[in-house]
Amino acid sequence: MKGYIKEQTYCRWEPDTYYVTDRNSFCCLTNQQGEVLDSLISQMYGEYYYSLLLNLFQKIVLLKLANEYSQVKLESDREKVEDLIRSITRFSSEYFFLELASQTQGREIFVQLRKVFGTQELYDDVRNTLSSLFKYQSNFSSERNGYLLLILTLYTVVSGIYGMNLTIEDLKGDINWDKMAGYSLFEYIALITAMSGLIIGILLGATSIYNWVRKKRRVKQD
């Protein structure tokens, strides 16, 4: 019992005043009277009340983020991971602070509430997990970009073999499709390389523009 009381109680003004905190309550126990009692009541309904609300808000936000990252599919939800990283970064800069309390005892009670709610441990877990997810997806993206670079390198090599000129005279003006049936192997290679290169270039350009527009819209919505 003594251990529990020591863990859950803020004893700065003992033996006259104690602040007891746990997951279900936050109360002040005192035998003070008069102006001192009025001051303690004012603090409970003012500074300490907002400390309690902020700790509850922080706990709710962190639980929400924890629930969201638990549903992430590593290979396909890159955008969702980026949104979660942006959310935890904004949360850290805008809400996860101690400056709400101006006095030393106010900050100490705020820290006591944070300790009881386990907010710091939850924050560290969410931040570390999201960082790990982001690193994993960065490595996955790097591997995918490596494959793309390999494909582009192959196109460059083939183009170099043909002297950087894959133009086929039959593709100029009105195309005679029947004539392509008599192409040699190297002419087919040149034709396939030229056509697939154009298709891949268009798709990559369109995909990049589409992803850029979506990212801008997500940032604005946040």
Side-chain angles (χ1 to χ4, degrees):
M1 192 67 179
K2 290 182 179 179
Y4 176 83
I5 294 175
K6 182 178 180 180
E7 182 72 18
Q8 307 296 122
T9 305
Y10 181 67
C11 305
R12 183 183 180 94
W13 295 280
E14 63 178 343
D16 297 318
T17 302
Y18 300 86
Y19 288 90
V20 182
T21 59
D22 62 22
R23 293 181 181 272
N24 301 308
S25 65
F26 172 52
C27 60
C28 175
L29 303 177
T30 183
N31 58 13
Q32 298 286 355
Q33 301 293 329
E35 294 182 358
V36 176
L37 179 60
D38 292 338
S39 176
L40 293 175
I41 294 174
S42 176
Q43 286 179 320
M44 286 297 293
Y45 283 96
E47 180 181 357
Y48 300 159
Y49 174 73
Y50 289 109
S51 295
L52 176 62
L53 287 183
L54 182 57
N55 271 282
L56 290 173
F57 167 75
Q58 291 174 346
K59 184 69 174 288
I60 291 171
V61 172
L62 290 171
L63 288 174
K64 176 177 178 292
L65 292 174
N67 179 66
E68 289 181 353
Y69 76 62
S70 67
Q71 301 175 12
V72 167
K73 297 179 181 178
L74 293 178
E75 286 76 13
S76 58
D77 289 342
R78 177 176 175 80
E79 292 181 355
K80 189 172 182 179
V81 173
E82 291 178 353
D83 291 340
L84 290 173
I85 290 291
R86 186 161 54 251
S87 296
I88 191 63
T89 301
R90 290 183 59 186
F91 173 79
S92 300
S93 61
E94 297 179 6
Y95 302 108
F96 203 73
F97 49 80
L98 297 175
E99 286 75 12
L100 178 69
S102 58
Q103 298 179 344
T104 302
Q105 64 268 22
R107 286 193 295 271
E108 291 176 348
I109 290 178
F110 187 89
V111 172
Q112 177 74 9
L113 288 167
R114 177 176 288 184
K115 181 180 179 181
V116 169
F117 290 138
T119 310
Q120 185 65 51
E121 292 79 5
L122 181 59
Y123 171 80
D124 293 337
D125 178 70
V126 171
R127 190 173 183 86
N128 293 335
T129 302
L130 288 177
S131 297
S132 299
L133 286 174
F134 185 74
K135 289 179 181 178
Y136 175 86
Q137 287 204 334
S138 296
N139 293 334
F140 180 78
S141 297
S142 298
E143 184 178 356
R144 183 177 58 186
N145 291 335
Y147 289 131
L148 178 60
L149 181 61
L150 175 61
I151 293 173
L152 295 177
T153 301
L154 291 175
Y155 273 96
T156 302
V157 171
V158 173
S159 299
I161 293 174
Y162 282 87
M164 300 302 292
N165 183 11
L166 297 177
T167 302
I168 299 177
E169 295 297 327
D170 295 334
L171 297 180
K172 295 180 179 180
D174 296 333
I175 300 176
N176 185 359
W177 299 103
D178 294 333
K179 191 175 181 180
M180 294 181 184
Y183 279 0
S184 66
L185 174 62
F186 293 104
E187 287 177 320
Y188 275 121
I189 293 175
L191 176 62
I192 294 172
T193 303
M195 298 302 293
S196 61
L198 288 173
I199 294 173
I200 291 175
I202 293 172
L203 290 176
L204 288 176
T207 301
S208 298
I209 295 174
Y210 175 73
N211 290 334
W212 179 79
V213 172
R214 288 188 61 186
K215 188 173 183 179
K216 287 293 184 181
R217 287 180 178 176
R218 292 203 318 275
V219 172
K220 288 183 179 180
Q221 290 175 355
D222 292 341

